[in-house]
Amino acid sequence: MLSTPDYKFWFVTGSQFLYGDEQLKSVEKDAKDIVDKLNKSGNLPYPIEFKLTATTADNITQLMKDANHDDSVAGVITWMHTFSPAKMWIRGTQLLQKPLLHLATQYLNHIPYETIDMDYMNLNQSAHGDREYGFINARLRLNNKVVYGWWGDEEVQQEIADWQDVAVAYNESFKIKVVLFGDKMRNVAVTDGDKIEAQIQLGWTADYYAVGDLVEEMNKVTDADIDQKYDELAKTYTMNPGDND
């Protein structure tokens, strides 16, 4: 298996200044606790890093820009702990070029009926915030992932883990090198047809090389090199029935 870089995922909590500093500190404390326990669960293939409690369009936009430019970040996970007016998220979300996961969850897996009060209600408005945030992502026609359920459940953690693997594969896919021989002119957009669309839609580049370049490289390879490589492949993979010599 090919090794991949040490990717990580950023965790962003949505809220707003309306609730006050004390409540925002509680929001951040809850978010950090979720991130810490997700990392310690042993169910995620890549670590999650808490970044901030997003309360303004400016800090949301800046965070998304930072995620784009940090090659170690494979994606962004968002959680609307309280009600986060989704107009704040439009610009930043439009700029984000990494995979996005909306985690629709509650901090607790139960309702504390005996102690519940308005402070608790104000602090735990995930259902309200998730609906608002989900609406704007749908309005923006995003292809983001949505995982819902209590974050501590293994089923939910497995969905996050599966998404992480796909997000890393997406980031790694930009390193794919496709080589064409005997094709058209090099790096010319008007003659490259579907190869241009592949680069626009997927970020994959298919480059042309002359047949003479291929022959030059082939002449460097000996029969012994070929036999050695075949033996390595035979030990690594199960060959299809038939003549593989």
Side-chain angles (χ1 to χ4, degrees):
M1 180 180 292
L2 295 176
S3 61
T4 56
D6 295 327
Y7 282 112
K8 61 187 176 184
F9 291 80
W10 282 357
F11 191 98
V12 187
T13 307
S15 190
Q16 59 175 304
F17 282 123
L18 174 65
Y19 298 104
D21 291 339
E22 182 178 350
Q23 284 71 22
L24 289 177
K25 289 179 182 178
S26 295
V27 169
E28 184 167 320
K29 178 176 177 292
D30 291 347
K32 287 181 176 179
D33 186 49
I34 290 178
V35 169
D36 181 60
K37 289 176 179 175
L38 285 175
N39 285 329
K40 290 179 178 178
S41 70
N43 294 325
L44 303 186
Y46 299 92
I48 299 174
E49 178 182 329
F50 175 79
K51 288 305 292 182
L52 84 159
T53 299
T55 54
T56 68
D58 287 342
N59 61 24
I60 293 169
T61 300
Q62 186 59 54
L63 177 126
M64 299 306 191
K65 289 180 179 179
D66 293 341
N68 287 338
H69 294 127
D70 190 333
D71 291 337
S72 68
V73 177
V76 175
I77 300 173
T78 55
W79 173 44
M80 303 302 112
H81 188 310
T82 43
F83 179 67
S84 180
K87 282 180 65 177
M88 299 191 304
W89 291 83
I90 294 175
R91 178 59 176 161
T93 302
Q94 287 177 322
L95 293 175
L96 181 64
Q97 297 174 325
K98 301 285 181 75
L100 174 66
L101 183 148
H102 172 199
L103 179 59
T105 190
Q106 288 280 150
Y107 179 61
L108 298 180
N109 63 343
H110 65 280
I111 298 176
Y113 289 107
E114 295 182 359
T115 59
I116 196 168
D117 56 19
M118 286 307 300
D119 287 338
Y120 178 88
M121 295 295 292
N122 283 332
L123 188 62
N124 296 271
Q125 293 198 42
S126 300
H128 195 184
D130 283 332
R131 185 168 63 250
E132 169 80 356
Y133 182 70
F135 165 80
I136 202 61
N137 286 343
R139 180 72 182 270
L140 293 173
R141 301 295 190 268
L142 295 186
N143 291 319
N144 65 296
K145 175 69 175 178
V146 179
V147 173
Y148 63 91
W150 187 54
W151 57 271
D153 288 339
E154 287 195 14
E155 182 180 355
V156 171
Q157 293 174 3
Q158 186 59 54
E159 288 193 56
I160 298 172
D162 292 343
W163 173 79
Q164 284 187 323
D165 284 334
V166 172
V168 166
Y170 171 78
N171 282 274
E172 286 292 292
S173 74
F174 296 120
K175 301 176 184 178
I176 289 176
K177 296 180 180 179
V178 180
V179 179
L180 303 170
F181 296 101
D183 200 49
K184 305 175 182 68
M185 294 180 287
R186 303 187 189 198
N187 298 319
V188 178
V190 296
T191 61
D192 265 358
D194 289 341
K195 296 188 290 295
I196 291 297
E197 192 66 13
Q199 186 167 355
I200 292 172
Q201 298 297 330
L202 304 174
W204 300 350
T205 303
D207 289 328
Y208 159 73
Y209 288 84
V211 175
D213 296 333
L214 175 60
V215 172
E216 183 179 341
E217 295 301 318
M218 291 174 60
N219 289 336
K220 297 177 183 178
V221 181
T222 66
D223 289 342
D225 292 331
I226 296 173
D227 292 339
Q228 179 181 355
K229 178 56 65 176
Y230 182 86
D231 289 340
E232 292 177 4
L233 294 174
K235 293 176 182 178
T236 305
Y237 300 99
T238 300
M239 298 294 190
N240 288 329
D243 185 4
N244 292 297
D245 295 329

